[in-house]
Amino acid sequence: MTGLVFRLKGEPEERLDLSPLIPEHLDGLTSGAIQRLPIGTTKRSLTVADVFELSGSDVSDIRFEGGSARFDKIGLGLSKGSIRVEGDVGFRCGRAMRGGAITVTGSAGDLAGSAMEGGELVIQGSAGARLGGPEAGETKGMSGGAIRVHGVAGERAADRMRRGTIVIDGDCGPNAASRMIAGTLIVGGKAHSTPGRLMKRGTLILAGGAERLAPTFLDCGPQDLIILKLMARAIGEELGAMPFDGAPMRRYGGDTAVLGMGEVFLPL
């Protein structure tokens, strides 16, 4: 049995809601029924057949041949199986996913991995704003699982994060890990201004340094901690080579403007 392949016919003329195209929704549907599923977001009412050529049958192994920045909500609520997109995706890729795996060979828009609870999201390009963060009005961001971004990420990555791991190989925008409650954010490039603002708990490993920390973080001095080496090894086994190797780093405690039990590690 071969995986289910959605081959893009051409650049879509409108944004698409691809949230129905996950194993949980497609299981038991015939090819014809899948092709009739509505995915358009305007009154034109586009269906799968209007945008994609369909082949294969294994809904646990979904592949999109061709991507677009108009592919919204890829893998929304995914709990099992795998999805691979050959190209870019739009907003909310992997939002609220609870299991399974998503791989994007291009870049992703805002809110990738938003409110994620489990599973693994890999973005081989870059990610937009609020990676792993909450939607407007929500009180929690990512609460489990793992995200790896090989490029850069926009502002407020890991906002309100409660649990899980995010690794960004490149730079990240301002206010990374703002209002963080727990979890781990690792940044290989430079973190722009005030990472960790109002974080209560959690760990930030900023291997490429930070533009500026808030003044409410306390310098705890150089630290040679075995836990850094163990983290580099354990996370590396799950997500691939890490942008830090567990070498000694300078530790800052904070944010003392709130609970103040978080920690930020910067290179010596």
Side-chain angles (χ1 to χ4, degrees), residues 172-201:
C172 68
N175 295 312
S178 57
R179 304 180 292 179
M180 188 184 216
I181 298 167
T184 301
L185 172 65
I186 300 168
V187 181
K190 176 173 283 189
H192 289 278
S193 60
T194 59
R197 181 189 290 272
L198 299 180
M199 70 184 294
K200 295 180 179 180
R201 297 184 182 86

Short mmCIF file of all heavy atoms in Angstrom, two decimals, residues 172-201:
data_model
loop_
_atom_site.label_atom_id
_atom_site.label_comp_id
_atom_site.label_asym_id
_atom_site.label_seq_id
_atom_site.Cartn_x
_atom_site.Cartn_y
_atom_site.Cartn_z
N CYS A 172 16.12 34.16 16.16
CA CYS A 172 14.68 34.28 16.45
C CYS A 172 14.36 35.73 16.76
O CYS A 172 15.22 36.49 17.22
CB CYS A 172 14.25 33.36 17.58
SG CYS A 172 14.88 33.77 19.20
N GLY A 173 13.13 36.11 16.51
CA GLY A 173 12.71 37.49 16.65
C GLY A 173 12.56 37.94 18.09
O GLY A 173 12.85 37.19 19.03
N PRO A 174 12.11 39.17 18.30
CA PRO A 174 11.98 39.72 19.66
C PRO A 174 11.01 38.92 20.53
O PRO A 174 10.09 38.28 20.05
CB PRO A 174 11.44 41.13 19.42
CG PRO A 174 11.78 41.45 18.00
CD PRO A 174 11.73 40.15 17.27
N ASN A 175 11.26 38.99 21.84
CA ASN A 175 10.36 38.44 22.86
C ASN A 175 10.14 36.94 22.75
O ASN A 175 9.03 36.44 22.97
CB ASN A 175 9.02 39.18 22.84
CG ASN A 175 9.15 40.63 23.23
OD1 ASN A 175 9.79 40.96 24.23
ND2 ASN A 175 8.60 41.52 22.42
N ALA A 176 11.17 36.20 22.38
CA ALA A 176 11.08 34.74 22.41
C ALA A 176 10.82 34.29 23.84
O ALA A 176 11.34 34.85 24.80
CB ALA A 176 12.38 34.12 21.90
N ALA A 177 9.99 33.25 23.99
CA ALA A 177 9.65 32.67 25.29
C ALA A 177 9.03 33.69 26.25
O ALA A 177 9.13 33.55 27.46
CB ALA A 177 10.89 32.03 25.93
N SER A 178 8.36 34.70 25.71
CA SER A 178 7.67 35.63 26.58
C SER A 178 6.55 34.91 27.33
O SER A 178 5.90 34.02 26.78
CB SER A 178 7.08 36.78 25.75
OG SER A 178 6.21 36.28 24.75
N ARG A 179 6.39 35.21 28.60
CA ARG A 179 5.35 34.64 29.46
C ARG A 179 5.46 33.11 29.56
O ARG A 179 4.46 32.43 29.82
CB ARG A 179 3.96 35.05 28.96
CG ARG A 179 3.78 36.55 28.84
CD ARG A 179 2.42 36.94 28.35
NE ARG A 179 2.21 36.55 26.95
CZ ARG A 179 1.08 36.77 26.28
NH1 ARG A 179 0.06 37.35 26.89
NH2 ARG A 179 0.97 36.38 25.02
N MET A 180 6.64 32.58 29.37
CA MET A 180 6.87 31.13 29.42
C MET A 180 6.54 30.60 30.82
O MET A 180 6.89 31.21 31.83
CB MET A 180 8.33 30.84 29.06
CG MET A 180 8.66 29.37 28.88
SD MET A 180 10.44 29.19 28.57
CE MET A 180 10.44 27.84 27.40
N ILE A 181 5.89 29.45 30.88
CA ILE A 181 5.52 28.83 32.15
C ILE A 181 6.42 27.63 32.43
O ILE A 181 6.78 27.37 33.57
CB ILE A 181 4.04 28.42 32.12
CG1 ILE A 181 3.17 29.66 31.94
CG2 ILE A 181 3.65 27.68 33.40
CD1 ILE A 181 1.74 29.37 31.59
N ALA A 182 6.81 26.90 31.40
CA ALA A 182 7.74 25.78 31.52
C ALA A 182 8.13 25.36 30.11
O ALA A 182 7.61 25.87 29.13
CB ALA A 182 7.13 24.61 32.30
N GLY A 183 9.03 24.37 30.01
CA GLY A 183 9.47 23.90 28.71
C GLY A 183 10.88 24.36 28.40
O GLY A 183 11.54 25.03 29.20
N THR A 184 11.34 24.04 27.18
CA THR A 184 12.71 24.35 26.77
C THR A 184 12.72 24.96 25.37
O THR A 184 12.12 24.42 24.45
CB THR A 184 13.58 23.08 26.75
OG1 THR A 184 13.58 22.49 28.06
CG2 THR A 184 15.01 23.40 26.34
N LEU A 185 13.41 26.10 25.23
CA LEU A 185 13.64 26.73 23.94
C LEU A 185 15.14 26.82 23.72
O LEU A 185 15.86 27.36 24.56
CB LEU A 185 13.02 28.13 23.89
CG LEU A 185 13.36 28.96 22.64
CD1 LEU A 185 12.79 28.32 21.38
CD2 LEU A 185 12.86 30.40 22.79
N ILE A 186 15.61 26.30 22.58
CA ILE A 186 17.02 26.33 22.22
C ILE A 186 17.16 27.13 20.92
O ILE A 186 16.47 26.83 19.94
CB ILE A 186 17.57 24.91 22.03
CG1 ILE A 186 17.43 24.11 23.34
CG2 ILE A 186 19.03 24.95 21.58
CD1 ILE A 186 17.68 22.62 23.17
N VAL A 187 18.02 28.13 20.91
CA VAL A 187 18.22 28.97 19.75
C VAL A 187 19.70 28.95 19.38
O VAL A 187 20.55 29.31 20.19
CB VAL A 187 17.76 30.42 20.01
CG1 VAL A 187 17.96 31.28 18.76
CG2 VAL A 187 16.30 30.46 20.44
N GLY A 188 19.99 28.52 18.14
CA GLY A 188 21.38 28.44 17.71
C GLY A 188 21.94 29.77 17.27
O GLY A 188 23.14 30.04 17.42
N GLY A 189 21.10 30.64 16.68
CA GLY A 189 21.53 31.96 16.26
C GLY A 189 21.31 32.98 17.36
O GLY A 189 21.23 32.64 18.54
N LYS A 190 21.19 34.24 16.96
CA LYS A 190 20.99 35.30 17.95
C LYS A 190 19.52 35.47 18.27
O LYS A 190 18.66 35.42 17.39
CB LYS A 190 21.55 36.62 17.43
CG LYS A 190 21.30 37.81 18.38
CD LYS A 190 22.00 39.07 17.93
CE LYS A 190 23.47 39.00 18.27
NZ LYS A 190 24.14 40.30 18.04
N ALA A 191 19.23 35.67 19.56
CA ALA A 191 17.87 35.99 20.00
C ALA A 191 17.76 37.51 20.09
O ALA A 191 18.55 38.15 20.78
CB ALA A 191 17.59 35.35 21.35
N HIS A 192 16.81 38.07 19.36
CA HIS A 192 16.64 39.52 19.39
C HIS A 192 16.05 39.96 20.73
O HIS A 192 15.83 39.14 21.62
CB HIS A 192 15.82 39.97 18.19
CG HIS A 192 16.57 39.84 16.90
ND1 HIS A 192 17.47 40.78 16.47
CD2 HIS A 192 16.59 38.84 15.98
CE1 HIS A 192 18.00 40.40 15.32
NE2 HIS A 192 17.48 39.21 15.00
N SER A 193 15.77 41.22 20.90
CA SER A 193 15.62 41.83 22.22
C SER A 193 14.63 41.13 23.15
O SER A 193 13.60 40.62 22.73
CB SER A 193 15.21 43.29 22.07
OG SER A 193 13.98 43.40 21.38
N THR A 194 15.01 41.14 24.40
CA THR A 194 14.26 40.69 25.58
C THR A 194 13.67 39.29 25.48
O THR A 194 12.47 39.09 25.68
CB THR A 194 13.17 41.70 25.97
OG1 THR A 194 12.26 41.88 24.88
CG2 THR A 194 13.77 43.02 26.37
N PRO A 195 14.47 38.27 25.17
CA PRO A 195 13.96 36.89 25.29
C PRO A 195 13.63 36.59 26.75
O PRO A 195 14.31 37.06 27.66
CB PRO A 195 15.13 36.04 24.79
CG PRO A 195 16.35 36.87 25.05
CD PRO A 195 15.91 38.29 24.82
N GLY A 196 12.60 35.78 26.95
CA GLY A 196 12.22 35.39 28.31
C GLY A 196 11.46 36.42 29.10
O GLY A 196 11.23 36.23 30.30
N ARG A 197 11.02 37.49 28.48
CA ARG A 197 10.29 38.53 29.22
C ARG A 197 9.06 37.93 29.92
O ARG A 197 8.24 37.25 29.31
CB ARG A 197 9.84 39.64 28.26
CG ARG A 197 9.08 40.78 28.93
CD ARG A 197 8.49 41.71 27.89
NE ARG A 197 9.51 42.47 27.20
CZ ARG A 197 9.99 43.64 27.63
NH1 ARG A 197 9.56 44.15 28.76
NH2 ARG A 197 10.90 44.29 26.93
N LEU A 198 8.96 38.14 31.22
CA LEU A 198 7.86 37.68 32.07
C LEU A 198 7.76 36.15 32.14
O LEU A 198 6.70 35.62 32.46
CB LEU A 198 6.52 38.27 31.61
CG LEU A 198 6.43 39.80 31.65
CD1 LEU A 198 5.05 40.26 31.18
CD2 LEU A 198 6.71 40.34 33.04
N MET A 199 8.85 35.43 31.89
CA MET A 199 8.83 33.98 32.05
C MET A 199 8.80 33.63 33.54
O MET A 199 9.46 34.28 34.35
CB MET A 199 10.02 33.32 31.34
CG MET A 199 11.37 33.55 31.98
SD MET A 199 12.75 32.81 31.02
CE MET A 199 12.40 31.06 31.18
N LYS A 200 8.01 32.61 33.88
CA LYS A 200 7.90 32.16 35.27
C LYS A 200 8.85 31.02 35.56
O LYS A 200 9.52 30.98 36.58
CB LYS A 200 6.46 31.74 35.56
CG LYS A 200 5.46 32.88 35.49
CD LYS A 200 4.06 32.40 35.79
CE LYS A 200 3.06 33.55 35.75
NZ LYS A 200 1.68 33.11 36.03
N ARG A 201 8.86 30.03 34.68
CA ARG A 201 9.77 28.90 34.76
C ARG A 201 10.25 28.59 33.35
O ARG A 201 9.92 29.29 32.41
CB ARG A 201 9.08 27.66 35.36
CG ARG A 201 8.58 27.81 36.78
CD ARG A 201 8.00 26.48 37.25
NE ARG A 201 7.46 26.56 38.59
CZ ARG A 201 6.23 26.95 38.89
NH1 ARG A 201 5.41 27.30 37.90
NH2 ARG A 201 5.81 26.99 40.12
#
